[in-house]
Amino acid sequence: MDKQSPGTAGTIGFVGLGAMGLPMARNLLARGFAVRGYDLRAAAGESLAEAGGHPASSVADAAAGADTLILMVVNAAQADAALFAQGGLDALRSGGTVVLMSTCPPTAVERLAERVEAAGRRFVDAPVSGGMVGAVAGSLTIMAAGPAATVASVRPALDALGSKVVHVGERPGQGAMVKTVNQLLCGVHIAVAAEALSLAGKVGIDAGVMLDILGGSAASSWMLRDRGPRMVQAEPSVTSAVDIFVKDLGIVLEAGRDIKAALPLAAVAHQMFLATSGRGDGAADDSQVIRAYKALNGQG
């Protein structure tokens, strides 16, 4: 991506410099934004400083004087705490914009947006898809919801973070719902791929042969092609953890309850990820949901 002089594109407060947040902040810096970032881990601030950013001592310090405050935290509770208990919203300039990029329940996002807007700030609901790889490459898919003018005002920042930015609706919460549907399919696809490969393994079919056949057939999916090879590795590198889907499929089920929508496949997939986490594998790559199937089927 093209680089500009540091700080020429505006000031952004960034909260949550984790596995995805830190590379996202680096991409903003590469596009000329001045970034003041905060994370509980001091090492994250040091890494931000090495990239040309400014480590903040608190959420309020990160938000002070910023045009935009981006939240890339774990969940809605952390977003609520950052904005209200830790002073992020009060420190953000009047008329500034909060951009929530975490995966959160739609109803929780709606409540946060109402409180932010009541305080004289604007709100964009902008969850992402693409994982750590997309965060590093600046190729995330961003599902932005909010008034068109508000989304347009933060579009340069979103473009620095993603290769596909879609305005999915005028109301905060709609972005979260689009992400919820996305995660329903992702979680179910991973779980059913694990079920299929576990079945093949149970009867002694070579995993490489099975993947070769399935990968070129109508039974294939993006998740099968991506996660399948990792399912047959003992300890694959982690690109997205099992516990991410414990959380995200939990959000899917919560959203279903809120609108009284039956989601039986999502519920079963959630149970398989939960079982894997319960075995002590929550930090393992999400492909390792296959371990729960193997345990059920006596495969060790």
Side-chain angles (χ1 to χ4, degrees):
M1 57 183 68
D2 295 335
K3 292 191 177 183
Q4 304 172 28
S5 300
T8 61
T11 303
I12 291 178
F14 201 109
V15 177
L17 301 171
M20 291 185 65
L22 182 58
M24 291 167 69
R26 287 175 176 146
N27 286 332
L28 288 166
L29 289 164
R31 285 289 186 94
F33 291 92
V35 178
R36 293 180 62 84
Y38 174 74
D39 194 274
L40 288 171
R41 298 170 302 111
E46 293 167 4
S47 295
L48 180 68
E50 290 171 2
H54 305 279
S57 59
S58 66
V59 172
D61 185 31
D67 305 296
T68 304
L69 177 62
I70 294 177
L71 303 179
M72 193 62 189
V73 293
V74 172
N75 53 33
Q78 286 193 4
D80 185 287
L83 288 171
F84 307 111
Q86 298 173 45
L89 188 62
D90 286 341
L92 184 65
R93 70 171 179 81
S94 180
T97 305
V98 173
V99 182
L100 178 60
M101 306 195 78
S102 310
T103 299
C104 300
T107 53
V109 173
E110 291 170 11
R111 290 193 294 267
L112 286 172
E114 288 171 0
R115 294 178 67 187
V116 167
E117 290 164 357
R121 277 75 169 179
R122 301 182 295 175
F123 190 96
V124 173
D125 165 28
V128 305
S129 180
M132 288 185 285
V133 172
V136 171
S139 61
L140 294 167
T141 294
I142 302 174
M143 297 150 263
T150 303
V151 173
S153 72
V154 297
R155 183 65 187 253
L158 299 182
D159 284 339
L161 302 173
S163 58
K164 185 175 185 178
V165 180
V166 182
H167 184 205
V168 300
E170 291 282 321
R171 299 192 321 274
Q174 290 177 312
M177 183 56 80
V178 171
K179 178 62 186 294
T180 296
V181 173
N182 183 83
Q183 293 308 92
L184 186 162
L185 286 168
C186 288
V188 170
H189 283 177
I190 294 171
V192 77
E195 185 170 303
L197 291 178
S198 176
L199 172 62
K202 177 77 172 178
V203 295
I205 297 174
D206 180 80
V209 170
M210 198 74 250
L211 285 169
D212 183 49
I213 295 295
L214 293 176
S217 76
S220 187
S221 69
W222 189 95
M223 282 298 188
L224 174 68
R225 293 190 299 272
D226 185 77
R227 300 308 203 268
R230 303 212 295 271
M231 287 178 183
V232 300
Q233 297 175 23
E235 293 292 340
S237 59
V238 179
T239 62
S240 174
V242 165
D243 277 344
I244 295 295
F245 275 100
V246 172
K247 175 179 79 79
D248 287 2
L249 286 172
I251 289 172
V252 169
L253 296 176
E254 180 179 335
R257 286 193 299 270
D258 287 345
I259 61 173
K260 294 183 171 57
L263 304 171
L265 297 181
V268 172
H270 183 247
Q271 288 295 303
M272 299 309 295
F273 282 102
L274 193 60
T276 308
S277 183
R279 286 168 46 83
D281 294 324
D285 187 69
D286 58 27
S287 63
Q288 296 311 294
V289 70
I290 196 169
R291 294 175 186 175
Y293 283 99
K294 288 180 176 179
L296 279 175
N297 294 325
Q299 295 167 265

